[in-house]
Amino acid sequence: MTTTSETTENGRRLRCALFVDFDNVYIGLQRLDPAAAEAFAAHPGDWLRALEQGSDIDGDFTRRFLVRACYLNPSVFSQFRPNFTRAGFSVVDCPSLTQQGKSSADINLVLDAVDALSAQTRYDEFVILSADADFTPLALRCRAADRRVTIVTAGPAASAYRAVADTVVTADELVELVTPPAAAELVAPAAVAPAGDAPAPAAAVAGAEPAAPAAGRGGGRAPASPARKAVLRLVRAAERPLPGDVVAQAAWKADPGLRGSGWDGAGDLFGWLARSVAELGTAPQPAPGFVWDPKRFSEADLQPAESVDLPPLQRQVVEVTDIPNLPAERYRVLLTALADDVRTTPFVRPETARRVRDACQAAGEAIGRASVNTVISGVLFAGLDLTTRPSAVELAQTWADNVVGLCRGARMELSPADVAAIRAWVGGGLVPR
């Protein structure tokens, strides 16, 4: 029986089993970005090659997908079967079993994955493409068997589902991953240039090392130094800006020599970051300082969650769903700004998010890019078409419905009074009683 991952001249190579819940991913992407959904279905070989590159705390690795299985409903999506067959997938037809259209994809996927756990070949990693929290027990089973678990979502995955994974590729990252490079080059610079408004580039998702800034005076470290790569991996995978001491520990672990060299002559962590990892956002104050990925966050996101004193119910909702930790009045400002923007300007997600963020901050509310993007993604996943210029009330109702759905998906027990309180809060007081 094969028991260990391979080590080649170019580093580690993991033996992986890939399982694709096609209906879940395709429908989720359609709500978020229809062009990305079509690219996902039409060119699976492209995003499969991008997923072959990865990284973790031990460094970079490549994936060898020994199992490639795709589960789809043939009565709805049969036209995409040849695309996956051509890319080397085993396609399993999962027709609808109920009047509601529920297919057999879940049970077929789980059965095949459990079989793979006991197969003669030992798979180092199980990669599951689905946002369906029903796969949480499967992920737990894989972890118990000492296998890596990577979840690729195309929708709002429950926090418990994400927590059992070693790596999570978010819906925004998946959009970037499946978008053809040629299409990305046609996007106007204004749509992608502002830091923090576009999803992380596919290279970041796949763990590739981007071009480094030129070394500063005084003998900068090599562009691909272990500390630089470790910090990039850590910050780009983080769900929020990280404290400086956490980033420093990662850099020291990767390159112990930084401790005794005064950060290679830069004096401190933030001086070293400015010289060696200049593409990251940094703020030395307040102590211990913060470091973030400017493609997803800004200084407005530095406000610690505990500084907003929410009632116990709302605090629990934030903890289990990861929605923005905002009081009702800030949700009202955000939802109103979003309604105003889509009413006057065509909806283009990155540009719209940037303008709404700017409008919120102009109104005196410290609402960051991450919060705006979460609300926009939430209403899109809930099925609201922002090109139809919905009102602030429609946005608030859809966002509130989405949040209540996330709570129930996380198995929160909600009374009618709880639901009413949540809707009034996240709807910013705009949801009719």
Side-chain angles (χ1 to χ4, degrees), residues 166-331:
D166 296 281
T167 303
V168 176
V169 177
T170 66
D172 279 337
E173 291 169 336
L174 179 59
V175 167
E176 189 70 15
L177 195 69
V178 304
T179 300
E185 293 170 2
L186 295 177
V187 178
V192 297
D197 293 319
V205 175
E209 173 73 3
R217 289 176 298 179
R221 305 187 70 79
S225 70
R228 169 184 159 78
K229 294 176 71 174
V231 167
L232 281 172
R233 281 196 300 268
L234 176 69
V235 175
R236 283 175 171 162
E239 295 184 356
R240 59 185 58 86
L242 293 176
D245 52 359
V246 173
V247 177
Q249 290 293 333
W252 286 335
K253 181 177 179 180
D255 185 354
L258 286 174
R259 279 182 180 272
S261 64
W263 288 97
D264 201 23
D268 61 13
L269 167 68
F270 291 95
W272 178 79
L273 289 171
R275 188 178 69 188
S276 301
V277 206
E279 60 265 56
L280 297 180
T282 61
Q285 298 296 329
F290 290 89
V291 185
W292 63 90
D293 178 0
K295 297 186 182 303
R296 296 179 294 137
F297 305 108
S298 70
E299 291 193 52
D301 296 300
L302 301 185
Q303 185 174 10
E306 58 268 20
S307 66
V308 178
D309 187 17
L310 295 174
L313 172 64
Q314 284 88 325
R315 192 158 55 245
Q316 184 183 19
V317 171
V318 170
E319 290 172 353
V320 302
T321 67
D322 293 329
I323 66 168
N325 185 58
L326 304 176
E329 57 269 22
R330 287 187 185 171
Y331 269 121

Side-chain angles (χ1 to χ4, degrees), residues 326-357:
L326 304 176
E329 57 269 22
R330 287 187 185 171
Y331 269 121
R332 186 185 189 98
V333 169
L334 194 164
L335 292 163
T336 302
L338 178 56
D340 291 343
D341 190 87
V342 297
R343 186 179 65 251
T344 59
T345 310
F347 173 68
V348 178
R349 198 158 58 101
E351 296 182 36
T352 300
R354 172 175 53 83
R355 290 192 301 267
V356 171
R357 183 276 319 273

Side-chain angles (χ1 to χ4, degrees), residues 363-384:
E365 297 292 352
I367 298 173
R369 280 180 280 247
S371 297
V372 175
N373 282 325
T374 298
V375 172
I376 289 177
S377 296
V379 298
L380 290 175
F381 290 137
L384 185 62

Side-chain angles (χ1 to χ4, degrees), residues 88-111:
F89 280 81
S90 168
V91 179
V92 181
D93 286 342
C94 302
S96 298
L97 299 177
T98 67
Q99 292 181 344
Q100 291 75 31
K102 178 68 173 177
S103 77
S104 59
D106 292 9
I107 186 63
N108 279 295
L109 191 157
V110 169
L111 288 172

